[in-house]
Structures are given as C-alpha cells and as structure tokens.
Amino acid sequence: MARYRARWATGAVLTAVLATALTGCSDDSTPSAPASKAASALESAGAEATAAMSSIAAQASEAIASATAAAGRKLDEVKNGIDAKDDVRLGTPATAADGRTTVEVTAKNTADSAKSFAVQVVFKDSGGKLIDTVVVTVSDVAAGTSRTATARSTHKLSGEVKTEVRRALRY
C-alpha cells in the first residue's frame, strides 16, 4: 500500500510540474506574455546596441574627417613648398608604451641648402581603411643629408596598422 501511495504522490508532483510549465503557453503555440516581454527586451537592447555602434562609427568618421581636414590646412600653410613625396620614407609601424602607433619618418634633402619637410602620414587598417592621419615636421635637414622624426597616431589604434605618406612638402 505504501508503494502505491509513493507512486500516486510522484504522479501528482509530475502533474503539478507539467501544469506549471505549461501555464502561460497558449493553445496556438505563441509565446507567453513573460517570454514575449523577454524577447521584446532583448530586441530593444539589440536595437540600442546597434544605435550606439552606429553613433560611435559616425563619431569616428567625423573625427577622421576632421583630422584629415586639419592635416590639409597645416600643409596649406606651408609657403613655397615643393612636392617632396619621393624624398620621404617611412619605417615599420610600432605600438608605443601608451598604445599609440608610431612610425619613423625619414626625409632626404636633395636641395643645395638646408630645408624642412612637412609630411602627412596616414594610418590604415589591414583592409586599407583610413583610421588616422597626422602631419609631422622634419626640421632643418642639411643639404644632401637625411633626418628623421616620429609620426604618432592621435589615439590608440588596434589590429594591424599600415602607414603611408599622403603628402610631403619641402620648404
């Protein structure tokens, strides 16, 4: 008799558990109100995250556009500058202790008197997308010699970073 009571009690507990689990599910298999609210919350959080990422991407694009414009203005300020892009070489990009990317800029003065160089260096990601730009000055390079300076990104850059000379003026 005790055996039957134990089976009956087990059956009653299982029935109660199943009834609790099924409560909230409608007959047409649509989600219950709590599940629907959870799904809506997840969807809302996803939409907010997407909006935040779009905002960050827009701000980054604006920052790059602003840096590019500033570099252009700085180079436009150079008086009597001569295109010297072929006289400038870049070293291998490296990450400095502060997390910013640096690259050595070497300017060779082929003129017959001391000159300075204004060099716009662009930083690109592995896909070739522009991620930063700066202008570095290599000052007082004696005739027939080379001198170096260091270009430093304006912020921390991640991943593989490539650099190139966008413009270079000797003056």
Side-chain angles (χ1 to χ4, degrees):
M1 193 69 148
R3 182 188 291 176
Y4 292 112
R5 278 188 229 157
R7 284 184 184 168
W8 182 85
T10 302
V13 169
L14 284 173
T15 302
V17 168
L18 286 173
T20 302
L22 293 175
T23 303
C25 289
S26 63
D27 293 336
D28 64 356
S29 299
T30 58
S32 66
S36 180
K37 286 180 184 176
S40 294
L42 284 173
E43 185 176 322
S44 176
E48 289 176 19
T50 300
M53 292 301 288
S54 293
S55 176
I56 291 168
Q59 290 174 3
S61 292
E62 289 174 19
I64 291 169
S66 177
T68 301
R73 285 190 301 275
K74 184 158 178 90
L75 290 171
D76 290 343
E77 292 173 2
V78 174
K79 303 296 181 207
N80 301 318
I82 296 172
D83 179 22
K85 190 173 177 181
D86 292 338
D87 295 330
V88 176
R89 299 287 176 258
L90 299 180
T92 302
T95 302
D98 64 359
R100 294 207 248 162
T101 301
T102 61
V103 65
E104 186 174 89
V105 179
T106 303
K108 181 178 180 183
N109 183 5
T110 57
D112 57 2
S113 63
K115 300 289 181 182
S116 294
F117 293 75
V119 182
Q120 181 183 7
V121 176
V122 294
F123 298 86
K124 296 182 176 186
D125 65 14
S126 60
K129 181 180 175 189
L130 178 68
I131 52 177
D132 201 2
T133 185
V134 297
V135 174
V136 63
T137 301
V138 185
S139 300
D140 301 320
V141 183
T145 67
S146 296
R147 193 162 189 189
T148 62
T150 301
R152 177 187 292 294
S153 65
T154 61
H155 56 281
K156 292 180 181 179
L157 306 177
S158 61
E160 181 184 352
V161 178
K162 299 176 181 181
T163 56
E164 66 181 51
V165 175
R166 173 72 49 92
R167 289 176 62 192
L169 298 174
R170 182 181 70 213
Y171 59 99

